Amino acid sequence: MPLVIHSRYQPPFYLFNGHLQTIVPSLLRTVPEVHYERERVETEDGDFLDLDWSRPTDRTTDTLCIVSHGLEGDAGRPYVRGMVRALNRAGFDALAWNYRSCSGEMNRLLRSYHLGDTDDLDFVVRYALGTTRYRRVYLTGFSAGGNVTLKYLGEQPERVPQEVQRAAVFSVPTDLKSSSMHISRLENRLYLNRFLKSLRKKMREKAMLLPDQVDLNGLDELLDFPQFDDRYTAPMHGFKSAEEYYEHASSGRYLSGIRIPTLLVNAQNDPFLPPSCFPRDSASRSAFVFLETPQEGGHVGFGEGTPDGEYYSEHRAVEFLTAKVPG
């Protein structure tokens, strides 16, 4: 039943298509009000994660929201900082965590992160609860981080601590195989090339760290996600192929397992998302997954007003997380 039929999002007049709604917030937005306190934590497998906390000093709260960034992003991206600012204004502490290799320093192990890696999110959730400061935890995520969040909530719902009570995610590629092909279309090559440039750079850094484990031959000849994932992402994380990785990691197959109120907002003009990433049937059968599909918004966009103002994704997340009756 939870299909949100009418979305209130309307873009400003100067963001008149999905590409502008995607690019302008990424390039022009700044959120200087957010100040992080970084903490490095050691993982059980001998690696580390860098956590960026935003805990306003003028009050204490028993509520934390954990924010998961997108592919090749980090806690410093404007969309993450904007969400953190909105959460702080709503009275919550916020924890924006950086995936392995995404905090400015290469991680130690051959493995890095991938779009279905829920173990690290579970580690972060339990680490935060281990501080004993929080009785209530919310989750938010963007794009890749939204996929990880949905998969975490749905694949083993009994694993999710009871303190985790709601989630709100945006611009999520719930079908990784189709979205990996969709972003390879000619009109999306600008985005694809930017991602591949960053991923290639990291593979070279990884090869310097672990020269006997990383083969760079042909790296520059990998021209799309399926090729890169088949060569590197899949084998580095225990998958036989990109096909197996996409099948295992796509959050769409786990939506029926979600047992807490969860908002998924995917814009219909998102240049990254094909039709299979709008799981209307799954949401209509779920009592917990609320699917909102505004006509506009782009990918991790949803800008409103001036570039440094609060965005729709931010006040919509706060609204959903704090509502007496979700929807």
Side-chain angles (χ1 to χ4, degrees):
M1 195 278 288
L3 290 172
V4 180
I5 303 300
H6 301 292
S7 176
R8 300 190 303 275
Y9 176 66
Q10 293 292 331
F13 71 92
Y14 55 87
L15 301 179
F16 50 82
N17 64 40
H19 293 293
L20 286 173
Q21 291 160 18
T22 300
I23 295 170
V24 170
S26 176
L27 294 181
L28 299 184
R29 191 184 192 195
T30 60
V31 189
E33 302 93 329
V34 173
H35 302 283
Y36 288 133
E37 178 183 348
R38 174 158 291 188
E39 179 183 12
R40 175 164 292 185
V41 295
E42 297 289 321
T43 61
E44 296 173 350
D45 60 356
D47 216 334
F48 66 89
L49 291 172
D50 286 331
L51 313 182
D52 288 329
W53 296 86
S54 182
R55 295 177 283 207
T57 58
D58 59 345
R59 47 105 175 112
T60 59
T61 178
D62 64 359
T63 302
L64 173 71
C65 188
I66 297 174
V67 186
S68 299
H69 62 75
L71 181 69
E72 288 303 281
D74 56 67
R77 294 301 172 93
Y79 62 87
V80 175
R81 295 175 66 88
M83 182 63 76
V84 167
R85 180 180 63 181
L87 294 166
N88 288 162
R89 287 175 173 174
F92 308 149
D93 285 356
L95 169 54
W97 67 292
N98 301 275
Y99 311 154
R100 303 186 194 213
S101 81
C102 291
S103 63
E105 180 179 339
M106 181 54 61
N107 66 305
R108 300 170 188 150
L109 304 181
L110 178 63
R111 64 161 295 187
S112 180
Y113 75 95
H114 65 81
L115 274 65
D117 185 0
T118 57
D119 288 341
D120 278 352
L121 177 55
D122 183 63
F123 175 86
V124 171
V125 168
R126 294 181 185 279
Y127 180 81
L129 289 172
T131 67
T132 69
R133 298 179 58 157
Y134 304 108
R135 293 191 307 107
R136 183 183 302 108
V137 173
Y138 299 137
L139 304 178
T140 64
F142 296 89
S143 193
N147 189 75
V148 171
T149 300
L150 292 176
K151 181 172 179 283
Y152 171 64
L153 294 174
E155 66 179 346
Q156 298 180 55
E158 69 281 357
R159 176 175 73 160
V160 179
Q162 63 180 5
E163 291 88 351
V164 178
Q165 298 185 8
R166 291 191 186 184
V169 296
F170 300 86
S171 305
V172 182
T174 58
D175 180 350
L176 295 182
K177 181 178 179 179
S178 64
S179 62
S180 70
M181 294 186 292
H182 194 76
I183 199 173
S184 298
R185 298 186 308 173
L186 181 62
E187 62 267 32
N188 289 331
R189 294 297 299 187
L190 174 67
Y191 309 114
L192 176 63
N193 290 339
R194 184 180 180 187
F195 283 128
L196 289 176
K197 180 179 179 180
S198 178
L199 290 167
R200 292 189 189 107
K201 179 176 181 291
K202 284 188 176 178
M203 290 311 304
R204 293 188 176 97
E205 293 175 5
K206 184 76 74 172
M208 292 179 64
L209 182 68
L210 302 168
D212 296 333
Q213 300 183 56
V214 180
D215 181 4
L216 296 180
N217 288 326
L219 173 62
D220 291 330
E221 299 171 10
L222 305 176
L223 301 180
D224 57 30
F225 281 140
Q227 292 178 4
F228 183 89
D229 291 334
D230 201 61
R231 173 72 182 277
Y232 291 110
T233 310
M236 287 170 60
H237 298 95
F239 302 103
K240 296 178 182 178
S241 63
E243 184 86 15
E244 183 181 85
Y245 162 52
Y246 295 150
E247 175 67 20
H248 173 82
S250 294
S251 61
R253 63 181 294 189
Y254 302 101
L255 296 181
S256 62
I258 293 176
R259 293 294 179 266
I260 64 170
T262 299
L263 174 68
L264 166 58
V265 181
N266 280 355
Q268 295 180 46
N269 70 344
D270 188 324
F272 291 20
L273 302 184
S276 60
C277 291
F278 296 83
R280 294 179 176 86
D281 289 344
S282 295
S284 65
R285 294 192 298 265
S286 172
F288 299 98
V289 179
F290 293 77
L291 175 64
E292 180 177 339
T293 58
Q295 292 187 350
E296 309 283 340
H299 188 76
V300 191
F302 303 105
E304 290 186 322
T306 60
D308 62 348
E310 189 167 285
Y311 279 20
Y312 178 77
S313 51
E314 295 150 16
H315 63 73
R316 182 69 176 100
V318 170
E319 175 188 62
F320 183 86
L321 297 175
T322 58
K324 293 182 179 180
V325 178

